[in-house]
Amino acid sequence: MDLLVRKLAARDVVPEDEQQALRAAATETVPYAAGEEVVREGERQTVSRLLVSGLIARVKLLDDGRRQITELHIPGDFVDLHSFLLKRLDHDVIAVTPARLVSYPHEGLRKITEQWPHLTRLLWLSTTLDGAGHREWIVSAGRRTAAEHVGHLFCEFLLRYEVVGLGDRRRCPLPLTQQQLADACGLTPVHVNRVLQELRHEGLLEWRAGELTVPDFDRLAQVSRFDPAFLNLIREPR
Amino acid sequence: MDLLVRKLAARDVVPEDEQQALRAAATETVPYAAGEEVVREGERQTVSRLLVSGLIARVKLLDDGRRQITELHIPGDFVDLHSFLLKRLDHDVIAVTPARLVSYPHEGLRKITEQWPHLTRLLWLSTTLDGAGHREWIVSAGRRTAAEHVGHLFCEFLLRYEVVGLGDRRRCPLPLTQQQLADACGLTPVHVNRVLQELRHEGLLEWRAGELTVPDFDRLAQVSRFDPAFLNLIREPR
DNA sequence: CGGGACCTTGACCAATATCAATGGTCGTGG
DNA sequence: CCACGACCATTGATATTGGTCAAGGTCCCG
């Protein structure tokens, strides 16, 4: 919850009473094991979930086994706030690492939309930030080279972890396998491996034991054509 | 406006008083010429715009000229409702054909969030539908072949036009150039051309004079691995 | 000590991009 | 009414990126 407030506070003021209203809407905290499914595509949802710890992926599957990760969530992210409105998701949500999620029943979220218009707008904002992230991924998949794509994703991670105070632009957690990174980038694990070697040889990054280290963020950002504008890190009234 | 109601009514009941509240929030209708810019990336917005006629694209540009269309809007779509919350967009919005857009000042939308919680949720829903569309595009760019990608986009168009009553699953407007289609799919115009020939030779589609004709929707959907679930065409309380 | 998951490497291949030309269509002005 | 130019579609030859297949190698954990 605190992490969500930190994330929202990077974009607007979050008054104390709204923070309390949010807190009041939460029910239990549920732990998941690595690889466990949190939400299955198409099933009717009655709660949305906020990630407290761990890493979560939204995964879309094609019938012949092809898979694409469409978003990776870090602590402080609502992993399926959109299920409040969509009711049924178009994708699975799975725990990449062990994770803990706090439930927000839709009933309580509905009450928030009836009593807390500004808080409602902040939650709505949170889903539009997801949308902006999606658009950036479309660009990466459509028009960036494999190396730019991987580098861009890493830059995104560093800044998002920085926002919630769990990393900075030099280092952040990145507990993924190369296979999973490939699924996020729409590449082959073999090719991801080659791209990583290239980036490592150029001294742009290190990635070991689930932790990413980038000695010179600006250089990686430049090589990857990374522009942080899509993160909408501007504090103003919403 | 009627088109927006039709689009929303495909997902929930829209009471008459909410329709009126929406209508009251609109101000003027603005015409745009083909190719004209509607919104420039990064500029502060004070209104959102609903498309009444024509075709609109959201375009992201890289500094070296690469361009990616991240969404195509048909009548009945809010082209930048997300600017109500983001205030500054991460992309340009341009008119592909001559178009007319109705303005909804953010001030009026804010009032809606304060007085019409259910209508607010419907508008929020509308932006999450955009998000679901984005995810499908990520999959297309990352894990579908060029032919599947193009075919998938065409299926999406047919169904979206059907929802607002401006087409059906046999035919719909598609006033794009091959270059623009290439920018939407992250392909080269040359390759898009070859893919189109292939699809045409297999009798899957015709596309002339800005109109798409698909003799057998199910066959194209199957070939393209199209699953309409992401369009969330389910009528239920939100 | 053994097995499994993950990473790495090499050889080869396929999908798509690039480059360069040609031809069609349509609106406009002479 | 015709000629021109602009934009768009098409085609062929060739290049490149990233995929496929297959074989180790490493590391961790039971």
Side-chain angles (χ1 to χ4, degrees), chain A residues 44 60 85 136 236 238, chain B residues 44 60 85 236 238:
Chain A
R44 198 163 201 297
K60 292 196 68 134
L85 296 146
E136 205 59 56
E236 57 178 311
R238 311 279 179 167
Chain B
R44 197 163 201 297
K60 293 195 66 133
L85 295 147
E236 59 178 310
R238 312 280 179 166

Side-chain angles (χ1 to χ4, degrees), chain A residues 63-111:
Chain A
D63 49 21
D64 60 358
R66 284 177 280 181
R67 72 169 43 214
Q68 173 75 44
I69 293 175
T70 61
E71 185 149 5
L72 287 165
H73 286 295
I74 69 173
D77 288 344
F78 257 111
V79 304
D80 66 339
L81 182 52
H82 50 312
S83 81
F84 170 47
L85 296 146
L86 291 173
K87 302 305 178 191
R88 297 164 198 280
L89 296 191
D90 50 292
H91 59 265
D92 295 334
V93 176
I94 63 162
V96 173
T97 64
R100 285 185 310 132
L101 294 149
V102 177
S103 298
Y104 288 78
H106 289 171
E107 182 50 29
L109 294 173
R110 192 184 59 70
K111 284 193 183 129

Side-chain angles (χ1 to χ4, degrees), chain A residues 44 58 60 66-67 85-86 90 113 121 124 127 134-136 143 148 183 187 236 238, chain B residues 44 58 60 66-67 85-86 90 113 121 124 127 135-136 143 148 183 187 236 238:
Chain A
R44 198 163 201 297
R58 300 192 193 171
K60 292 196 68 134
R66 284 177 280 181
R67 72 169 43 214
L85 296 146
L86 291 173
D90 50 292
T113 65
R121 293 196 296 273
W124 186 353
T127 65
H134 286 153
R135 288 189 287 277
E136 205 59 56
R143 295 300 190 201
E148 287 169 350
D183 284 336
L187 297 167
E236 57 178 311
R238 311 279 179 167
Chain B
R44 197 163 201 297
R58 299 192 193 170
K60 293 195 66 133
R66 283 178 280 181
R67 72 166 47 213
L85 295 147
L86 292 173
D90 50 292
T113 65
R121 293 197 296 274
W124 186 353
T127 65
R135 288 189 287 277
E136 204 60 56
R143 294 299 190 201
E148 287 169 349
D183 284 335
L187 297 167
E236 59 178 310
R238 312 280 179 166

